[in-house]
Amino acid sequence: MESENDLGDYLRARRAALAPAVVGLPDDEPRRVPGLRRDEVALLAGVSTDYYIRLEQGRERHPSEQVLRAIAGALRLDDAAAAHLFRLGLYAFGAAAATTTVAPELLRLMDGMREVPAFVVGAAQDVLAANATARELYSGFARYDNLLRMIFLDPFAREFYADWDRAARIAVGNLRASSSQYPQDERIERVVGEVSVRSPAFAGLWARYEVRPRTHEDKHFRHPRVGEIRLHFEALAVTSAPGQHLSVYSAEPGSADADALARLRRLSEPQSPREARGKSVQEADPESEADSESEQESTSTDRTDPVEGSRS
């Protein structure tokens, strides 16, 4: 998934993404490359240009914590991006792989949250489990299995996300954060490989090396059955299962979005056999409706309603 010079790749990507004006440097002449030049980063970090060049080229692989902190400041890295820089520079990597098995206790908790969409996501952005309301929220997708694959490979995503570009950037930044914590996770490598080959948009965003863990945000969806709906998202880390997050959506009480969320929940509820029969009668040919009702009345005393199977 990464090259043999992860630190150099990351430094080049962050340098290219930083406009000179942001750090107070003049930008009144043409530049051969976007962003800052190597000598400018070195100047801002207080290190020699030669030393910084060796870092980017991979000829210097053991920078001190002080140097990395100075470079993080020069590149205006936020906490998550700086933490990634330190992991690359100091080889302070996390676990080799994230946990993918969802504990029964977490499943019970998630299923009990029936009023809101709730689902468990793994480090590779696989949907490991979801309650009925969450499945209804994402019901327009061909498969509800991996958020990256859904956003970049399913055409429905462009309709579902009101701001697809923003959703795509956030999803890639979140996956970058996971890959930083679990650099040897084979599932993350497979997801990156598959989606990169099939989506140039993903490949372009992945090459920007933006590390942004997704913890909370406001989302705007266009659901095929309830219409426009704006929900607040919270990702709660599951401390007992590294790499897993319980993702929960909520709506402002008393708002139109809360009403839409209530409709979403009702749509997710399984129909009773009697309701299903009633719906089939309403949708039947009007000329045969009376005959159908008569037949139901004549047989209702002779049989009981079948019992639906439990949800898997």
Side-chain angles (χ1 to χ4, degrees):
M1 182 174 62
E2 304 291 353
S3 72
E4 294 182 357
N5 185 18
D6 297 338
L7 177 59
D9 292 342
Y10 186 57
L11 290 174
R12 281 192 295 273
R14 294 294 83 218
R15 174 168 61 83
L18 188 60
V22 173
V23 296
L25 293 175
D27 192 16
D28 53 0
E29 59 183 31
R31 288 173 174 258
R32 291 184 299 172
V33 294
L36 300 182
R37 295 190 295 264
R38 289 169 172 171
D39 61 313
E40 291 173 331
V41 177
L43 176 65
L44 292 169
V47 299
S48 71
T49 300
D50 179 67
Y51 180 82
Y52 181 79
I53 290 174
R54 293 204 308 272
L55 277 178
E56 279 203 4
Q57 293 178 342
R59 294 186 290 120
E60 171 56 62
R61 295 182 178 271
H62 302 288
S64 67
E65 180 177 342
Q66 181 181 2
V67 166
L68 291 175
R69 196 174 304 279
I71 292 175
L75 294 174
R76 301 297 194 268
L77 302 183
D78 60 19
D79 290 345
H84 183 64
L85 176 65
F86 273 78
R87 277 189 283 267
L88 294 176
L90 301 177
Y91 295 94
F93 289 120
T99 304
T100 57
T101 302
V102 181
E105 297 81 5
L106 182 57
L107 290 174
R108 287 199 299 268
L109 173 64
M110 180 194 67
D111 282 338
M113 305 171 73
R114 295 173 183 157
E115 300 297 318
V116 296
F119 52 102
V120 180
V121 177
Q125 299 304 285
D126 291 313
V127 180
L128 304 178
N131 68 7
T133 310
R135 291 196 299 272
E136 177 58 41
L137 175 63
Y138 290 96
S139 60
F141 288 90
R143 290 158 51 191
Y144 181 29
D145 55 356
N146 180 279
L147 297 178
L148 270 298
R149 192 202 62 76
M150 291 161 63
I151 291 173
F152 287 95
L153 303 183
D154 193 320
F156 176 70
R158 300 276 183 167
E159 304 173 27
F160 182 68
Y161 293 99
D163 189 344
W164 182 89
D165 290 334
R166 179 173 181 269
R169 283 196 317 272
I170 290 174
V172 174
N174 192 46
L175 186 64
R176 268 291 181 193
S178 292
S179 71
S180 174
Q181 291 181 305
Y182 305 98
Q184 302 176 48
D185 189 286
E186 294 183 357
R187 175 57 185 162
I188 294 177
E189 291 184 3
R190 288 198 300 271
V191 169
V192 172
E194 175 192 355
V195 185
S196 293
V197 169
R198 300 175 60 188
S199 171
F202 174 84
L205 288 172
W206 186 253
R208 294 171 61 175
Y209 280 81
E210 291 185 350
V211 180
R212 298 187 182 280
R214 183 180 63 168
T215 56
H216 64 276
E217 61 174 309
D218 293 321
K219 287 179 168 284
H220 182 188
F221 301 123
R222 299 190 185 103
H223 191 272
R225 301 180 71 182
V226 304
E228 302 270 341
I229 182 170
R230 292 172 173 81
L231 299 174
H232 180 72
F233 168 86
E234 289 284 343
L236 311 174
V238 182
T239 55
S240 60
Q244 291 184 17
H245 287 81
L246 176 62
S247 302
V248 183
Y249 288 110
S250 63
E252 183 69 25
S255 66
D257 298 310
D259 294 337
L261 184 57
R263 293 197 300 273
L264 194 73
R265 177 183 54 78
R266 289 193 294 270
L267 287 170
S268 71
E269 294 175 348
Q271 288 185 327
S272 68
R274 189 178 302 278
E275 289 173 334
R277 288 199 303 274
K279 182 177 180 180
S280 64
V281 167
Q282 293 173 5
E283 295 175 349
D285 187 338
E287 294 181 359
S288 63
E289 183 175 338
D291 293 340
S292 298
E293 291 178 349
S294 176
E295 181 181 351
Q296 288 182 21
E297 290 176 358
S298 64
T299 59
S300 61
T301 57
D302 297 329
R303 60 183 172 86
T304 57
D305 292 337
V307 178
E308 289 188 329
S310 60
R311 181 177 61 81
S312 58

